[in-house]
Amino acid sequence: MRDPEGIISALRQADSVCICTHVNPDGDTIGSALAMRLALLGLGKRVNVFCQDKVPDHLAFMPGAEKIRFPEENTESYDLFLSVDVSDLRRLGTCASLMAACTRSAQMDHHGTNPGFTDVNSVDENAAATSIMILEQLKVMGVSISPEIAICLYTGISTDTGNFSFDCTDAETFRAMGELMEVGLPLADLSMRLFRERDKAQLRLLGRAIENMSFEHDGRISVMSLTLKDFLDCKALSEHADTLVNFGLETIGTQMAVLAREDSDGRVKFSLRARAPFTVNDIAESLGGGGHARAAGISMKGTLRDTLPIVVQAMKERIEKQK
Ligand code: 5GP
Ligand code: MN
């Protein structure tokens, strides 16, 4: 349930706010955090934004991105801890330690699997993006939406809706976009930057992933995997694999897609996607991950060889159950 009044009252009592984002940050968590940061700075509060991981290069253009710090750099305490777009405590990664430096906690999020891990929880799984909830929140607070705030919110909304194409995209999405356009959002420039240009390293990695793509279950499941060696050979970072799973789902006849990538810490990260009416959040949850109905993720300890068959088997079973 969205709780704009609860968030307002938590913010009203706070002169200082620590905003936290999720691990492997995406456009929605960074956009939400930076929009909220600008709004709270405008209200005269002391604000810092934290992320366990580095902001991906393709999101570094957002106003204030250079101010985002690693949790271990923090030396201050705060009246309020505010997490944005973080589905559970584990997804905070090392940012979870900052809760201890804060008097109270609140969160804004749109994951159905969110257990409500803060004092004030504004969570709505029907919001297409957390950034949409932030826009509504700022309006209720009487904050005027600056072009800089609009850039952050657009980034969150457009990336979480697959550039306005996933089935979470709804009328509220376009109403929000109308408001961002009214304040001068440079849509064409940003859309080019986010959706129509790529790093060479990402293209090399895409080549690898597609070369290795295989199909299971009569072609209904597409499987891609990337090893640490693939990343090294392509001079690519983990962030360069972030949207590649969608290419698997684009294959005609595919109902689910998985991309598995080896992490440097002895874990494998899985990105799962499904076409309607199939769902993957249930698979992710049953294996210790989470996410949305058609876009979910898991991080498992072990090797690709040990973990990938477990995930693919769970996908097969899910398809059989849902068909
Ligand atoms: P992606 O595959 O793009 O990394 O993530 C897709 C969705 O699943 C996102 O909404 C993300 O928050 C969620 N997600 C990804 N990995 C994990 C994970 O390890 N645990 C949980 N709980 N959610 C995840
Ligand atoms: Mn999101």
Side-chain angles (χ1 to χ4, degrees):
M1 196 195 69
R2 293 190 202 185
D3 186 7
E5 292 306 325
I7 297 288
I8 285 186
S9 108
L11 287 172
R12 199 172 280 141
Q13 294 162 30
D15 290 327
S16 53
V17 183
C18 163
I19 304 178
C20 289
T21 59
H22 64 69
V23 299
N24 292 321
D26 61 10
D28 194 26
T29 197
I30 299 290
S32 294
L34 293 179
M36 189 50 100
R37 169 182 174 271
L38 288 171
L40 295 180
L41 287 176
L43 294 172
K45 300 190 194 286
R46 173 164 64 82
V47 189
N48 280 319
V49 179
F50 295 92
C51 186
Q52 172 194 292
D53 300 315
K54 171 185 122 9
V55 175
D57 288 344
H58 74 280
L59 297 175
F61 70 89
M62 271 187 272
E66 72 288 353
K67 304 274 190 208
I68 299 180
R69 302 177 186 182
F70 296 118
E72 56 273 22
E73 292 175 309
N74 181 52
T75 53
E76 301 168 38
S77 54
Y78 306 84
D79 298 325
L80 186 68
F81 174 96
L82 177 66
S83 80
V84 288
D85 198 42
V86 180
S87 58
D88 57 53
L89 259 178
R90 282 220 333 247
R91 294 279 292 163
L92 275 172
T94 54
C95 280
S97 65
L98 293 173
M99 267 177 144
C102 302
T103 314
R104 283 188 87 204
S105 62
Q107 67 161 327
M108 296 180 66
D109 181 42
H110 70 132
H111 292 89
T113 52
N114 193 308
F117 57 88
T118 53
D119 299 330
V120 179
N121 300 285
S122 184
V123 178
D124 180 6
E125 65 175 310
N126 293 316
T130 302
S131 295
I132 288 186
M133 297 172 61
I134 302 275
L135 174 62
E136 179 196 34
Q137 183 70 44
L138 299 187
K139 286 193 304 179
V140 176
M141 288 160 59
V143 170
S144 80
I145 306 302
S146 66
E148 289 74 26
I149 291 178
I151 288 171
C152 299
L153 295 178
Y154 161 75
T155 303
I157 297 168
S158 64
T159 53
D160 257 31
T161 57
N163 206 8
F164 310 100
S165 65
F166 295 160
D167 57 10
C168 61
T169 311
D170 58 6
E172 185 183 30
T173 308
F174 288 102
R175 281 195 296 272
M177 279 305 294
E179 292 177 36
L180 302 183
M181 294 303 285
E182 295 280 1
V183 300
L185 181 78
L187 176 69
D189 280 2
L190 295 176
S191 160
M192 166 71 88
R193 193 186 270 278
L194 287 166
F195 303 105
R196 284 178 292 141
E197 61 182 25
R198 295 172 189 281
D199 270 342
K200 292 186 186 67
Q202 193 187 15
L203 279 177
R204 287 193 292 266
L205 204 61
L206 172 63
R208 269 300 158 98
I210 288 185
E211 218 171 82
N212 301 335
M213 194 189 288
S214 65
F215 296 95
E216 299 268 349
H217 216 56
D218 287 337
R220 290 192 279 172
I221 301 175
S222 114
V223 183
M224 290 186 281
S225 55
L226 291 166
T227 62
L228 286 175
K229 181 173 182 306
D230 290 324
F231 284 98
L232 210 63
D233 290 349
C234 298
K235 298 190 176 62
L237 304 171
S238 183
E239 70 193 50
H240 292 126
D242 278 350
T243 55
L244 302 189
V245 63
N246 296 320
F247 287 89
L249 203 62
E250 283 177 16
T251 319
I252 291 177
T254 301
Q255 290 160 338
M256 286 186 190
V258 58
L259 169 74
R261 66 183 104 148
E262 280 183 345
D263 258 351
S264 46
D265 58 358
R267 303 182 74 86
V268 182
K269 174 172 166 43
F270 296 89
S271 290
L272 304 178
R273 299 291 185 270
R275 291 194 202 209
F278 295 94
T279 56
V280 283
N281 55 332
D282 22 41
I283 300 172
E285 272 178 75
S286 73
L287 294 171
H292 306 288
R294 317 225 192 281
I298 315 163
S299 160
M300 280 167 85
K301 215 171 165 46
T303 62
L304 260 178
R305 186 204 285 261
D306 294 336
T307 55
L308 184 55
I310 299 173
V311 176
V312 172
Q313 182 58 29
M315 293 168 85
K316 286 182 190 168
E317 285 168 15
R318 190 73 209 155
I319 286 183
E320 284 309 309
K321 223 190 213 156
Q322 285 193 297
K323 91 176 167 185

